[in-house]
Amino acid sequence: MQAPETDDLALLIDAARAAGEIAMRHFGRAPEVWEKDAGQGPVTQADLEVNTMLEAELAAARPDYGWLSEETEDTPVRLERERTFIIDPIDGTRAFIEEKDAFGHALAIADRGEIVAGVMYLPARGELYAAARGHGATLNGTAIRTSTRDALTGAKVAAPRNQLKPEHWPGGVPDIAHTMRPALAWRLCLAADGNLDGMFTFRPVWEWDAAAGSLIASEAGAAVTDGVGRTPRFNSDTRRLDGIIAAPAPLTAEIIARRGVGAPAS
């Protein structure tokens, strides 16, 4: 019998806080760093220690759940499970290495492709975002809501700078107040709590970068789609999404319309 979403969320919150304790023992102390194969970026001793702890603790608590993590070799076993943990032990590893506080632990659970519980914990900032399906989203226990902005012009939006090139926008490059943050999960959370009016990226993203934040943004009232307006589905064999957009519904609709790629998913 599956645990309720709220029980799964409580499990993720405890695990995220434990991950933060490990990360902060390494933060600012020049942890050992390696470059992963195929240009996948750096990994630190802290990433690996956090991953080892999370896999042991979460698998023990939910032995019937699958496992997908940035720092664990993938196997097809997870595709056979109804529920699967989707984990980024440290999202924003480069920021962590550079001793910046813009990193966190992104933990989520997918139920047959849909995220049902998610946490993004930024330990150096003391910020814990959390959501369970149907129960809203919170920051440090206080309910959050997305921006109420209804027009893209002038909106404060996080996106990679190269995503604003004219070739991405047949309907015209939007006149936005552009900004950026290192960790994709954090960008989704900032779109959730209204610090940003939205975020987008159209290039493929790893599921572990988007899983937790996508639910947090959605439960806060954002319209969340992939880069072409479809409902994101998780625990896939590719482990990737075709981009991601999170913003109030009118902004998401305008982004997709300007790109000429479809219509927002209902």
Side-chain angles (χ1 to χ4, degrees), residues 16 20 32 53 68 85 96 116 130 142 165 191 215:
E32 191 169 0
M53 180 279 293
L68 174 61
F85 291 108
F96 179 81
V116 297
T142 299
K165 293 180 178 179
L215 179 68

Side-chain angles (χ1 to χ4, degrees), residues 193-264:
D193 71 11
N195 272 292
L196 297 176
D197 295 309
M199 61 78 65
F200 61 76
T201 183
F202 308 130
R203 58 193 180 196
V205 299
W206 294 106
E207 289 189 14
W208 47 73
D209 289 326
S214 69
L215 179 68
I216 293 164
S218 178
E219 286 291 324
V224 180
T225 75
D226 70 7
V228 293
R230 300 172 299 202
T231 299
R233 302 294 295 175
F234 293 85
N235 195 33
S236 69
D237 56 354
T238 66
R239 305 174 295 165
R240 289 195 176 197
L241 303 176
D242 292 326
I244 192 159
I245 303 167
L251 272 64
T252 297
E254 186 175 348
I255 291 168
I256 292 165
R258 281 175 176 264
R259 295 199 66 229
V261 291

Side-chain angles (χ1 to χ4, degrees), residues 20 31 39 60 65 80-81 87 92 111 116 131 160 188 192-193 198 203 216 255:
Y65 287 19
E80 303 168 4
R81 305 293 174 88
I87 305 295
D111 183 337
V116 297
L188 284 160
D193 71 11
R203 58 193 180 196
I216 293 164
I255 291 168

Side-chain angles (χ1 to χ4, degrees), residues 80-144:
E80 303 168 4
R81 305 293 174 88
E82 288 192 3
R83 285 198 174 181
T84 294
F85 291 108
I86 302 179
I87 305 295
D88 192 342
I90 296 182
D91 187 22
T93 296
R94 286 187 174 87
F96 179 81
I97 293 167
E98 294 169 4
E99 301 181 15
K100 298 176 181 177
D101 63 9
F103 70 91
H105 312 291
L107 285 59
I109 294 172
D111 183 337
R112 288 159 289 191
E114 180 182 353
I115 304 302
V116 297
V119 172
M120 175 58 171
Y121 178 43
L122 295 97
R125 298 176 61 86
E127 296 174 353
L128 191 147
Y129 293 87
R133 181 175 59 182
H135 292 272
T138 61
L139 168 56
N140 293 341
T142 299
I144 55 176

